[in-house]
Amino acid sequence: MNVAQAVGIALTKFGVRKAFGVVGSGNFHFTNGLIQGGAEFVAARHEGGATTMADAYARCSGEVAVVSVHQGCGLGNATTGIGEAAKSRTPLIIVTGEATDPLSNFHIDQDALARSVGASSILVRSAKTALADVRRAFTQARRDRRTVLLRLPLEVQAEPIEESLLDELTAIEPLPQPRAADPEVKALAEILQHAERPVFLCGRGSRAARPELVALADRCGALLAEGAVAKGLFAGEPWAIGVSGGFSSPLTTELIQGADVVVGWGSALNDWTTAHGRLLSPDTTLVQVDLESAALGRNRPVTLGIVGDVAGTALAVTEHLDVHNGYRSEQLKDRIAREIRWRDNAYDDAGTAEAIDPRTLSAALDELIPANRVVGVDSGNFMGYPTMYLDVPDENGFCFTQAFQSIGLGLATAIGAALAQPARFPVAACGDGGFLMSIAELETVVRLKLPMLIVVYNDHAYGAEVYFFEPGGHPADTVTFPDTDIAAIARGYGCDAITVRAKEDLDEVSTRIAAGLDRPLVVDAKIAGFSAWWLQAAMTHH
C-alpha cells in the first residue's frame, strides 16, 4: 500500500464519513483510499464548489469533512472556499498533492497560500510519520475548530507503508470544552441578576447550547437573538427575537438597542451582527463568552470577557441566579408574536409588470416550501430577503457562507447542507451573478438527484455595485448585463425550470413542490431591483 492510499483510509478511521473533491493525478490514490475506508465521495465540477460543499456539510452535520484536490492549480481553484471555511472556523481538512520541485508547472508555495487565507498547514513528511501527521491534522480540525490544509508531496505519496499500521487507528473524539472560571461565572451572574432588559446575542459558538441558553434566559428574563450564522437556533421559543444585525426587523432592532445588558454567546460581535455597532447603545453593558481569549473584545470593547464553552458557562451561571422577569411581560410577548418577523411588517410592493418585489417573492416562498427545510444562501445584494423571510426549523436548517463575502458560493452551500440534512427539503437562494459564476455545480445537483428548489433572484446585474454607485452619478455599465434566460439554461442541465415575474407565477412552483420534486427545480425570478440597506451600510464601512 502507498502513503496516499493509507492517508485516505486513516482519515476514515479517525471519523471522516463524507468527502468532496475533484480528482486529478495528484490526488487519485488518496481519494481511492478514502472510498476504500468507507467514506462517501461527492465529485464536484470545480474545486471551489467542492470546498464550499464540504464547509456547509461540516456546519450542518457537526462532522469533520474532507476535500480532495489536485496540487497547484486544483488548490488554487479551492482558495476562496478555503478562506471562507477558515474565517468561519469550520472543522475541515483539505488534502492536496504537492509538487515540491520549483520547476514543476504545479509548484506553488502551498503552505503560504493556506496561511494567507487563515487556514493552518500540515505536511505529510514521510511514510514513517504519515499516520502521525494525519492524526495531527484531524485533531486540529476537530478539537481546535480549524480549517487545515494537509499537503501530500508526490514523492511521499508513492512511498510504501505497512498496511497493518492502520489496524491500530481509532476514532478521535472531541475533548470536553473548557469551563469558565468561577469568579467570571459569578461576575456574569451578578450582572444578569440586576439587569432589567437583558438580551442574549448568540452566534455560531452557541449552536449546540440551546437548552442551556433557554434555561438561563428563562431564569433572568432575557430575550434571545441569533447571529445570521445561527439562524433558527431558538425557533419556536416565545422570547426569540430573530436575527441580530443588518437583517434585524424593526422590533428586533428596537429591543436590542433598548437592552441594558447584552451577552454575546459564542459570537464575534462583528460589524454584521451588531450592524456596525448601531445595535449597541453606548450605555449597554456588553459581555462576551468565547472559547478563545483572543476573540474577547476583538470587534467591540466589552465590560466582561469570559473564556469558556457556551453550554457549560450558561449552566454554571444559571445556578447562581434567582428568577426575575427582566425584559419579559405579557404585552411584549404578544408584540413579539405579532411583529418580530419581517413578513408581519407592511411595505409598499415595488413589483412591476415585468418583475416581482423580492419581499413578495420571499414571503410567498416561505408559505409554499415545506417547513422541514434546509436553506443555503449566497452573498449579494439580494441575500437579506431569503434570510429575513424564510423561516427554518433549527440552527441546522440554515447555512450562510458569508465570512469571506464572496458571491458564487450559494449553490454549493445548499448542496453540502442538503447532504448533511437529507430528510429535509433543500433550498438554494442565489443572485443571478453568483448563480452564473457557479453554474457548473448545477450538473452536480442533477447527478446527485437532489430534489432541490433553486431560486435565482435575477436583476441581471451585480446589484450591490449598481445600487451603491449609480445614485452618485457613476456609470454602471461594467456591472449590468443582458437579461439571461436562466430557466432555459437550467433545462439544458436536466432541471425543471419556471420563470417568475409576478406572485401568480408561483402557483406552478407550489403545485410542483406539493406533488413532490423528482429533479431540481430552478426558479428564474425576475426581481424589481433596489438597493439593500444592509449592503449600503456594509459598503459605506468597506
Side-chain angles (χ1 to χ4, degrees):
M1 178 179 292
N2 63 32
V3 166
Q5 186 179 359
V7 168
I9 295 172
L11 283 169
T12 66
K13 295 268 190 179
F14 292 145
V16 171
R17 298 195 312 125
K18 189 86 72 175
F20 303 78
V22 177
V23 177
S25 58
N27 61 326
F28 180 82
H29 294 296
F30 162 71
T31 305
N32 285 340
L34 280 170
I35 296 169
Q36 182 181 340
E40 180 183 352
F41 180 75
V42 178
R45 286 298 191 172
H46 190 276
E47 290 88 352
T51 307
T52 301
M53 290 176 205
D55 182 0
Y57 178 86
R59 297 187 198 204
C60 292
S61 69
E63 301 174 14
V64 176
V66 164
V67 184
S68 176
V69 299
H70 190 272
Q71 66 272 14
C73 52
L75 177 61
N77 284 343
T79 302
T80 299
I82 296 171
E84 169 63 36
K87 292 173 188 295
S88 299
R89 297 303 295 266
T90 301
L92 185 65
I93 301 171
I94 299 93
V95 182
T96 179
E98 182 166 55
T100 56
D101 181 357
L103 298 180
S104 168
N105 289 342
F106 293 127
H107 178 74
I108 57 175
D109 188 339
Q110 297 190 156
D111 175 72
L113 185 152
R115 295 183 186 280
S116 72
V117 293
S120 62
S121 173
I122 292 176
L123 177 69
V124 177
R125 295 164 290 175
S126 68
K128 189 174 293 185
T129 67
L131 299 184
D133 296 331
V134 176
R135 176 181 288 276
R136 185 157 57 100
F138 187 93
T139 301
Q140 192 173 107
R142 178 154 202 173
R143 295 180 176 171
D144 297 342
R145 300 177 302 116
R146 295 296 301 273
T147 296
V148 182
L149 179 67
L150 182 63
R151 295 146 46 218
L152 271 171
L154 299 181
E155 61 273 19
V156 174
Q157 288 192 40
E159 292 180 15
I161 190 171
E162 181 56 50
E163 189 172 345
S164 62
L165 294 174
L166 293 168
D167 297 334
E168 304 171 11
L169 303 181
T170 58
I172 297 174
E173 300 298 332
L175 288 173
Q177 299 291 356
R179 186 188 171 206
D182 286 340
E184 294 173 342
V185 167
K186 292 177 181 177
L188 178 51
E190 182 72 13
I191 290 171
L192 290 175
Q193 190 67 63
H194 294 93
E196 296 180 357
R197 300 179 306 280
V199 170
F200 291 175
L201 203 169
C202 304
R204 181 179 292 110
S206 300
R207 286 168 58 94
R210 171 175 169 147
E212 293 83 0
L213 289 167
V214 169
L216 177 57
D218 287 344
R219 183 67 65 93
C220 68
L223 304 181
L224 295 159
E226 307 151 348
V229 291
K231 178 180 166 69
L233 178 60
F234 300 115
E237 289 293 332
W239 300 105
I241 60 172
V243 171
S244 171
F247 302 147
S248 291
S249 71
L251 181 55
T252 304
T253 299
E254 175 189 326
L255 294 172
I256 297 175
Q257 288 179 337
D260 60 346
V261 173
V262 172
V263 184
W265 297 93
S267 170
L269 299 175
N270 59 26
D271 283 345
W272 286 98
T273 306
T274 65
H276 300 277
R278 293 192 302 275
L279 282 182
L280 302 174
S281 298
D283 296 332
T284 300
T285 297
L286 185 60
V287 180
Q288 188 176 9
V289 180
D290 201 281
L291 283 174
E292 299 178 18
S293 59
L296 302 177
R298 179 186 295 163
N299 293 304
R300 293 283 176 273
V302 297
T303 304
L304 175 65
I306 300 176
V307 175
D309 80 296
V310 169
T313 302
L315 186 63
V317 173
T318 303
E319 296 172 356
H320 289 273
L321 281 177
D322 297 325
V323 177
H324 65 289
N325 289 332
Y327 233 144
R328 301 181 178 187
S329 68
E330 286 304 312
Q331 293 86 349
L332 179 58
K333 180 189 286 189
D334 181 63
R335 194 177 175 206
I336 289 171
R338 288 185 289 105
E339 298 179 36
I340 206 67
R341 296 193 304 170
W342 270 103
R343 59 180 300 167
D344 297 325
N345 290 263
Y347 63 91
D348 294 327
D349 193 299
T352 68
E354 296 297 319
I356 187 170
D357 187 308
R359 296 165 294 185
T360 301
L361 169 67
S362 302
L365 289 170
D366 189 49
E367 289 286 346
L368 64 88
I369 298 170
N372 187 29
R373 63 186 68 157
V374 58
V375 180
V377 178
D378 204 347
S379 185
N381 188 62
F382 80 98
M383 66 185 177
Y385 301 113
T387 303
M388 295 186 302
Y389 284 88
L390 299 185
D391 290 336
V392 291
D394 58 31
E395 70 279 9
N396 292 319
F398 185 80
C399 198
F400 195 52
T401 42
Q402 268 300 310
F404 213 175
Q405 294 182 229
S406 171
I407 70 168
L409 306 186
L411 183 56
T413 295
I415 295 171
L419 294 173
Q421 299 289 333
R424 299 186 177 183
F425 183 84
V427 181
C430 307
D432 57 295
F435 180 74
L436 291 170
M437 187 179 288
S438 61
I439 198 168
E441 301 306 345
L442 195 56
E443 188 279 333
T444 305
V445 183
V446 173
R447 175 167 32 90
L448 294 177
K449 297 182 172 63
L450 293 175
M452 181 182 290
L453 176 66
I454 302 165
V455 183
V456 182
Y457 289 69
N458 185 1
D459 62 356
H460 51 89
Y462 291 139
E465 287 68 29
V466 170
Y467 306 122
F468 183 75
F469 291 110
E470 200 170 54
H474 302 287
D477 298 348
T478 57
V479 288
T480 56
F481 304 92
D483 188 7
T484 303
D485 189 349
I486 288 175
I489 296 172
R491 293 187 193 101
Y493 274 90
C495 300
D496 288 332
I498 298 170
T499 299
V500 169
R501 297 182 183 275
K503 187 176 180 180
E504 299 76 52
D505 297 333
L506 289 168
D507 291 345
E508 185 180 353
V509 178
S510 180
T511 299
R512 294 198 186 193
I513 290 176
L517 300 183
D518 58 5
R519 67 187 69 189
L521 174 61
V522 175
V523 172
D524 181 6
K526 311 297 187 180
I527 63 167
F530 52 86
S531 181
W533 64 89
W534 57 83
L535 273 183
Q536 283 185 324
M539 295 180 76
T540 301
H541 290 82
H542 239 18

PDB file of all heavy atoms in Angstrom, residues 163-174:
ATOM      1  N   GLU A 163       0.601  -1.853   5.856  1.00  0.00           N
ATOM      2  CA  GLU A 163      -0.853  -1.772   5.946  1.00  0.00           C
ATOM      3  C   GLU A 163      -1.365  -2.086   7.350  1.00  0.00           C
ATOM      4  O   GLU A 163      -2.374  -1.535   7.796  1.00  0.00           O
ATOM      5  CB  GLU A 163      -1.474  -2.736   4.935  1.00  0.00           C
ATOM      6  CG  GLU A 163      -2.962  -2.600   4.777  1.00  0.00           C
ATOM      7  CD  GLU A 163      -3.489  -3.437   3.614  1.00  0.00           C
ATOM      8  OE1 GLU A 163      -2.681  -3.886   2.777  1.00  0.00           O
ATOM      9  OE2 GLU A 163      -4.726  -3.622   3.551  1.00  0.00           O
ATOM     10  N   SER A 164      -0.672  -2.933   8.069  1.00  0.00           N
ATOM     11  CA  SER A 164      -1.140  -3.334   9.398  1.00  0.00           C
ATOM     12  C   SER A 164      -1.167  -2.168  10.386  1.00  0.00           C
ATOM     13  O   SER A 164      -1.870  -2.226  11.402  1.00  0.00           O
ATOM     14  CB  SER A 164      -0.258  -4.454   9.950  1.00  0.00           C
ATOM     15  OG  SER A 164       1.089  -3.997  10.091  1.00  0.00           O
ATOM     16  N   LEU A 165      -0.399  -1.100  10.098  1.00  0.00           N
ATOM     17  CA  LEU A 165      -0.397   0.059  10.992  1.00  0.00           C
ATOM     18  C   LEU A 165      -1.772   0.717  11.074  1.00  0.00           C
ATOM     19  O   LEU A 165      -2.123   1.343  12.081  1.00  0.00           O
ATOM     20  CB  LEU A 165       0.634   1.091  10.522  1.00  0.00           C
ATOM     21  CG  LEU A 165       2.110   0.663  10.589  1.00  0.00           C
ATOM     22  CD1 LEU A 165       3.003   1.718   9.951  1.00  0.00           C
ATOM     23  CD2 LEU A 165       2.514   0.410  12.032  1.00  0.00           C
ATOM     24  N   LEU A 166      -2.573   0.553  10.015  1.00  0.00           N
ATOM     25  CA  LEU A 166      -3.903   1.147  10.007  1.00  0.00           C
ATOM     26  C   LEU A 166      -4.840   0.476  11.005  1.00  0.00           C
ATOM     27  O   LEU A 166      -5.811   1.083  11.458  1.00  0.00           O
ATOM     28  CB  LEU A 166      -4.496   1.067   8.607  1.00  0.00           C
ATOM     29  CG  LEU A 166      -3.797   1.913   7.529  1.00  0.00           C
ATOM     30  CD1 LEU A 166      -4.288   1.518   6.146  1.00  0.00           C
ATOM     31  CD2 LEU A 166      -4.036   3.391   7.777  1.00  0.00           C
ATOM     32  N   ASP A 167      -4.552  -0.787  11.337  1.00  0.00           N
ATOM     33  CA  ASP A 167      -5.423  -1.514  12.258  1.00  0.00           C
ATOM     34  C   ASP A 167      -5.419  -0.910  13.657  1.00  0.00           C
ATOM     35  O   ASP A 167      -6.354  -1.123  14.434  1.00  0.00           O
ATOM     36  CB  ASP A 167      -4.993  -2.984  12.336  1.00  0.00           C
ATOM     37  CG  ASP A 167      -5.145  -3.698  10.994  1.00  0.00           C
ATOM     38  OD1 ASP A 167      -5.997  -3.255  10.191  1.00  0.00           O
ATOM     39  OD2 ASP A 167      -4.405  -4.671  10.754  1.00  0.00           O
ATOM     40  N   GLU A 168      -4.384  -0.177  13.982  1.00  0.00           N
ATOM     41  CA  GLU A 168      -4.247   0.396  15.320  1.00  0.00           C
ATOM     42  C   GLU A 168      -4.984   1.725  15.478  1.00  0.00           C
ATOM     43  O   GLU A 168      -5.100   2.257  16.582  1.00  0.00           O
ATOM     44  CB  GLU A 168      -2.765   0.606  15.646  1.00  0.00           C
ATOM     45  CG  GLU A 168      -1.928  -0.673  15.538  1.00  0.00           C
ATOM     46  CD  GLU A 168      -0.437  -0.385  15.662  1.00  0.00           C
ATOM     47  OE1 GLU A 168      -0.081   0.762  16.029  1.00  0.00           O
ATOM     48  OE2 GLU A 168       0.358  -1.297  15.372  1.00  0.00           O
ATOM     49  N   LEU A 169      -5.495   2.277  14.375  1.00  0.00           N
ATOM     50  CA  LEU A 169      -6.123   3.599  14.423  1.00  0.00           C
ATOM     51  C   LEU A 169      -7.568   3.509  14.899  1.00  0.00           C
ATOM     52  O   LEU A 169      -8.300   2.589  14.517  1.00  0.00           O
ATOM     53  CB  LEU A 169      -6.073   4.247  13.039  1.00  0.00           C
ATOM     54  CG  LEU A 169      -4.692   4.407  12.412  1.00  0.00           C
ATOM     55  CD1 LEU A 169      -4.814   5.098  11.056  1.00  0.00           C
ATOM     56  CD2 LEU A 169      -3.763   5.179  13.322  1.00  0.00           C
ATOM     57  N   THR A 170      -7.980   4.460  15.713  1.00  0.00           N
ATOM     58  CA  THR A 170      -9.360   4.528  16.209  1.00  0.00           C
ATOM     59  C   THR A 170      -9.889   5.942  16.047  1.00  0.00           C
ATOM     60  O   THR A 170      -9.134   6.890  15.819  1.00  0.00           O
ATOM     61  CB  THR A 170      -9.427   4.125  17.691  1.00  0.00           C
ATOM     62  OG1 THR A 170      -8.570   4.986  18.453  1.00  0.00           O
ATOM     63  CG2 THR A 170      -9.001   2.671  17.883  1.00  0.00           C
ATOM     64  N   ALA A 171     -11.197   6.080  16.187  1.00  0.00           N
ATOM     65  CA  ALA A 171     -11.838   7.376  16.031  1.00  0.00           C
ATOM     66  C   ALA A 171     -11.316   8.372  17.061  1.00  0.00           C
ATOM     67  O   ALA A 171     -11.006   8.009  18.205  1.00  0.00           O
ATOM     68  CB  ALA A 171     -13.349   7.230  16.167  1.00  0.00           C
ATOM     69  N   ILE A 172     -11.203   9.619  16.646  1.00  0.00           N
ATOM     70  CA  ILE A 172     -10.749  10.699  17.529  1.00  0.00           C
ATOM     71  C   ILE A 172     -11.977  11.469  17.999  1.00  0.00           C
ATOM     72  O   ILE A 172     -12.678  12.092  17.200  1.00  0.00           O
ATOM     73  CB  ILE A 172      -9.763  11.629  16.806  1.00  0.00           C
ATOM     74  CG1 ILE A 172      -8.493  10.848  16.420  1.00  0.00           C
ATOM     75  CG2 ILE A 172      -9.411  12.835  17.684  1.00  0.00           C
ATOM     76  CD1 ILE A 172      -7.517  11.636  15.590  1.00  0.00           C
ATOM     77  N   GLU A 173     -12.251  11.402  19.277  1.00  0.00           N
ATOM     78  CA  GLU A 173     -13.431  12.054  19.840  1.00  0.00           C
ATOM     79  C   GLU A 173     -13.105  13.488  20.253  1.00  0.00           C
ATOM     80  O   GLU A 173     -11.963  13.797  20.580  1.00  0.00           O
ATOM     81  CB  GLU A 173     -13.939  11.274  21.054  1.00  0.00           C
ATOM     82  CG  GLU A 173     -14.337   9.839  20.735  1.00  0.00           C
ATOM     83  CD  GLU A 173     -15.477   9.759  19.737  1.00  0.00           C
ATOM     84  OE1 GLU A 173     -16.289  10.706  19.682  1.00  0.00           O
ATOM     85  OE2 GLU A 173     -15.545   8.743  19.013  1.00  0.00           O
ATOM     86  N   PRO A 174     -14.118  14.364  20.279  1.00  0.00           N
ATOM     87  CA  PRO A 174     -13.859  15.729  20.754  1.00  0.00           C
ATOM     88  C   PRO A 174     -13.546  15.745  22.238  1.00  0.00           C
ATOM     89  O   PRO A 174     -14.029  14.899  23.000  1.00  0.00           O
ATOM     90  CB  PRO A 174     -15.186  16.447  20.460  1.00  0.00           C
ATOM     91  CG  PRO A 174     -16.213  15.359  20.377  1.00  0.00           C
ATOM     92  CD  PRO A 174     -15.501  14.154  19.854  1.00  0.00           C
TER      93      PRO A 174
END
